[in-house]
């Protein structure tokens, strides 16, 4: 059985790994000309995602590349003294296994674990998928696949082709985010320097192996802002406006906007689809159920989703009509829970009042000052959904390849149409 996956970031390579383990023949098409190595941001692997990475044998590499950010200096707008926070306590109160790693490092690790068994096609994109499995591309010749999976992120191309315009499924949660890469002039290593004001939060972090630093900006906006997604100067202007006067550090970071080699700006939206499978096509990770970038643990959700989808296909003997609904059922509660996590994290991280700003600082100080047990209990009491990812259980799926194994190779539509569908 031949499966085409669109997107080679996190969900795509993890899915490809497990599919090939179960004997499927996998092609991954990625729009970028190569794996992304610059820019990017830190992402969180919570317990189930750490467990899956361990099963894949890549955990030592993931841990080796961990950002090591374990301290936070939190400065409240208008307050004289910063609060020092032990971030490792906060992470361990959220999940008993946690690794923070740069997303680009993570995709490289998953890619390396799959590159020998998976056909990767860079610099291309799907333009059409017909119900009988013929897929057309921008560059490559048409080919036939048994199944197609969109792992192409929040602004998924596969979702648009199969389900329609993104606006039908995205729900704005009243906030924006920006990321910028800049020189690590403060020499931050293992530390997050965060400035928080009413409706706006900016944090800079660095790690020795990065050679530079990243700033994450989060700000609230009641209404959706007016800009084009390709109009970078306008996005920078909006960011400057939102953070004007927060702190001299933040002004210095904003000064780098004109020089930065990597800049990202987007609204924080949740995807809400009743179903993310149609016919022979399904979606995984942010493409299907992004709870909101930077606030909902979406990387862990993407990894769990990829693992479950591959497992359900194997369990159903590659009958997608049974496997896709089983995958959606297995993920439904996790997806709902992660949306709740995202909304509550956004509320905490971007406080709407001065009281909220103080609450964030005091809460973080208290949790970091307490021993692990009480800090976990406190976090559970104050944030219902805080331990969602810790409570996710993942099934074991059949360990050995099955008879539907095929060889991954380029094939003309004529040749490929004879491929067994299991
Ligand atoms: C600024 C920011 C900060 C974040 N912070 C965190 C965090 O702190 N913690 C956390 O857990 N998560 C965080 N996230 C979210 C995290 O990055 C995603 O949840 C995670 O990367 C999801 O992986 P994915 O593989 O589903 O999608 P993505 O990582 O978005 O990957 C999609 C892939 O598809 C490719 N693609 C796009 N269009 C096409 C096409 N037409 N054809 C082929 N390929 C295509 C893209 O190039 C990309 O490689 C953050 C996201 C952003 C944007």
């Amino acid at each position: 059985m031949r499966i085409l996956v669109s997107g080679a970031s996190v969900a795509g390579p993890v899915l490809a790994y497990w599919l090939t383990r179960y004997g499927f023949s996998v092609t991954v098409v990625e729009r970028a000309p190569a794996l992304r190595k610059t820019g990017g941001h830190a992402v969180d692997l919570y317990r189930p995602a750490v467990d899956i990475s361990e099963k894949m044998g890549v955990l030592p590499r993931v841990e080796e590349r961990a950002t090591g950010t374990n301290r936070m200096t939190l400065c409240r707008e208008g307050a004289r003294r910063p609060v020092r926070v032990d971030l490792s306590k906060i992470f361990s109160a959220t999940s008993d296994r946690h690794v923070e790693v740069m997303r680009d490092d993570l995709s490289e690790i998953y890619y390396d674990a799959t590159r020998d068994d998976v056909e990767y096609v860079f610099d291309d994109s799907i333009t059409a998928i017909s119900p009988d499995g013929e897929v057309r591309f921008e560059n490559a010749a048409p080919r036939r696949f048994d199944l197609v999976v969109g792992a192409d992120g929040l602004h998924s191309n596969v979702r648009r082709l199969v389900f329609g315009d993104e606006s039908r499924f995205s729900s704005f949660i009243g906030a924006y985010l920006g990321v910028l890469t800049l020189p690590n002039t403060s020499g931050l290593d293992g530390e997050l320097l965060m400035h928080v004001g009413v409706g706006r939060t900016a944090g800079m972090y660095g790690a020795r192996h990065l050679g530079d630093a990243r700033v994450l900006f989060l700000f609230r906006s009641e209404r959706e802002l007016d800009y084009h997604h390709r109009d970078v100067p306008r996005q920078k202007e909006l960011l400057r406006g939102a953070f004007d006067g927060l702190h001299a550090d933040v002004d210095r970071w904003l000064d780098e906007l004109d020089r930065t080699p990597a800049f990202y700006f987007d609204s924080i939206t949740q995807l809400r689809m009743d179903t993310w499978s149609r016919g022979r096509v399904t979606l995984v990770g942010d493409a299907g159920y992004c709870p909101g970038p930077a606030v909902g643990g979406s990387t862990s959700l993407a990894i769990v989703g990829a693992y479950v989808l591959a497992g359900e296909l194997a369990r159903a003997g590659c009958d997608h009509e049974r496997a896709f609904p089983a995958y959606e059922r297995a993920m439904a509660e996790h997806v709902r829970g992660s949306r709740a996590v995202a909304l509550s994290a956004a509320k905490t991280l971007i406080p709407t009042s001065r009281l909220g700003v103080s609450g964030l600082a005091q809460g973080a100080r208290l949790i970091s000052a307490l021993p692990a047990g009480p800090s976990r209990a406190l976090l559970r009491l104050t944030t219902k959904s805080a331990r969602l990812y810790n409570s996710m259980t993942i099934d074991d799926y059949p360990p050995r390849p099955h008879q539907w194994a095929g060889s991954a190779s380029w094939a003309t539509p004529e040749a490929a149409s004879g491929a067994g569908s299991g």
Side-chain angles (χ1 to χ4, degrees):
M1 172 173 263
R2 289 164 192 275
I3 302 182
L4 175 65
V5 178
S6 172
S9 173
V10 176
V14 173
L15 176 66
Y17 175 90
W18 289 102
L19 288 174
T20 51
R21 281 270 318 243
Y22 300 137
F24 297 102
S25 167
V26 183
T27 297
V28 178
V29 58
E30 163 62 51
R31 187 185 53 186
L35 277 194
R36 289 174 297 188
K37 297 264 180 157
T38 54
H41 48 269
V43 297
D44 300 288
L45 302 199
Y46 296 114
R47 191 165 67 82
V50 177
D51 290 349
I52 291 167
S53 302
E54 191 167 43
K55 281 173 184 275
M56 293 169 68
V58 298
L59 187 57
R61 275 196 76 195
V62 174
E63 287 176 333
E64 199 180 283
R65 297 276 190 98
T67 60
T69 305
N70 55 18
R71 303 181 313 282
M72 171 165 73
T73 301
L74 195 158
C75 310
R76 282 170 296 155
E77 185 172 14
R80 278 215 315 274
R81 268 186 304 178
V83 176
R84 314 259 176 223
V85 178
D86 180 351
L87 275 181
S88 52
K89 287 262 186 62
I90 294 187
F91 285 131
S92 69
T94 309
S95 177
D96 54 17
R97 294 190 96 184
H98 170 262
V99 187
E100 186 189 71
V101 60
M102 298 306 289
R103 188 200 47 199
D104 299 352
D105 285 341
L106 190 64
S107 19
E108 186 182 17
I109 292 167
Y110 291 146
Y111 169 74
D112 285 348
T114 50
R115 61 192 301 174
D116 292 340
D117 303 314
V118 171
E119 177 193 31
Y120 278 92
V121 180
F122 287 95
D123 204 9
D124 212 344
S125 176
I126 299 170
T127 53
I129 305 167
S130 72
D132 67 346
E134 186 179 277
V135 179
R136 295 185 170 273
F137 299 91
E138 275 175 16
N139 300 321
R143 295 172 64 180
R144 204 169 284 278
F145 293 89
D146 298 292
L147 303 176
V148 179
V149 184
D152 41 8
L154 181 56
H155 306 298
S156 167
N157 176 49
V158 170
R159 187 184 57 234
R160 184 181 50 77
L161 290 171
V162 177
F163 294 90
D165 198 69
E166 184 174 318
S167 57
R168 294 172 53 195
F169 310 108
S170 69
S171 160
F172 175 58
I173 70 166
Y176 282 82
L177 86 169
V179 180
L180 104 96
T181 299
L182 73 184
N184 190 356
T185 45
S186 318
L188 289 178
D189 185 15
E191 185 181 354
L192 169 67
L193 172 60
M194 196 151 130
H195 288 278
V196 187
V198 176
R200 51 192 186 164
T201 295
M204 180 186 187
Y205 57 93
R208 213 165 300 152
H209 81 283
L210 283 183
D212 55 23
R214 313 291 150 95
V215 179
L216 175 69
F217 296 94
L218 298 166
F219 68 95
R220 290 198 170 276
S221 174
E222 292 279 305
R223 54 180 182 84
E224 294 199 54
L225 299 171
D226 180 27
Y227 68 95
H228 189 274
H229 69 278
R230 290 221 172 86
D231 188 351
V232 173
R234 169 83 180 131
Q235 295 164 18
K236 291 181 176 176
E237 180 188 309
L238 289 168
L239 203 58
R240 283 194 180 95
F243 284 87
D244 184 37
L246 177 56
H247 189 274
D249 285 342
V250 181
D251 292 344
R252 272 194 295 279
W253 301 341
L254 291 169
D255 284 346
E256 294 292 334
L257 277 175
D258 293 327
R259 292 184 283 272
T260 184
F263 174 72
Y264 177 92
F265 186 86
D266 207 349
S267 58
I268 305 189
T269 51
Q270 293 195 327
L271 272 179
R272 291 170 177 267
M273 303 179 79
D274 296 334
T275 172
W276 51 85
S277 310
R278 182 169 291 172
R280 293 175 171 271
V281 180
T282 192
L283 305 170
V284 68
D286 277 9
Y289 32 81
C290 179
V295 286
S298 45
T299 305
S300 294
L301 192 67
I303 292 168
V304 171
Y307 173 84
V308 170
L309 172 57
E312 292 297 343
L313 275 165
R315 185 179 270 168
C318 77
D319 173 359
H320 69 279
E321 289 182 1
R322 281 197 292 134
F324 288 175
Y327 157 57
E328 296 204 8
R329 276 195 304 276
M331 291 302 293
E333 205 182 314
H334 303 332
V335 169
R336 271 196 302 274
S338 66
R339 284 186 197 134
V341 170
L343 293 175
S344 121
K347 212 164 141 193
T348 308
L349 286 173
I350 328 167
T352 49
S353 64
R354 293 182 74 83
L355 203 64
V357 175
S358 305
L360 171 62
Q362 299 313 331
R365 181 169 24 209
L366 193 58
I367 288 167
S368 100
L370 287 170
S375 66
R376 260 200 296 275
L378 180 68
L379 201 71
R380 256 196 302 253
L381 272 179
T382 50
T383 322
K384 271 197 305 223
S385 48
R387 286 176 65 81
L388 169 85
Y389 285 96
N390 219 41
S391 61
M392 282 182 191
T393 50
I394 49 167
D395 276 6
D396 277 328
Y397 290 101
R400 270 183 276 120
H402 290 257
Q403 74 275 18
W404 57 79
S407 65
S409 62
W410 282 102
T412 61
E414 292 72 31
S417 62
S421 59

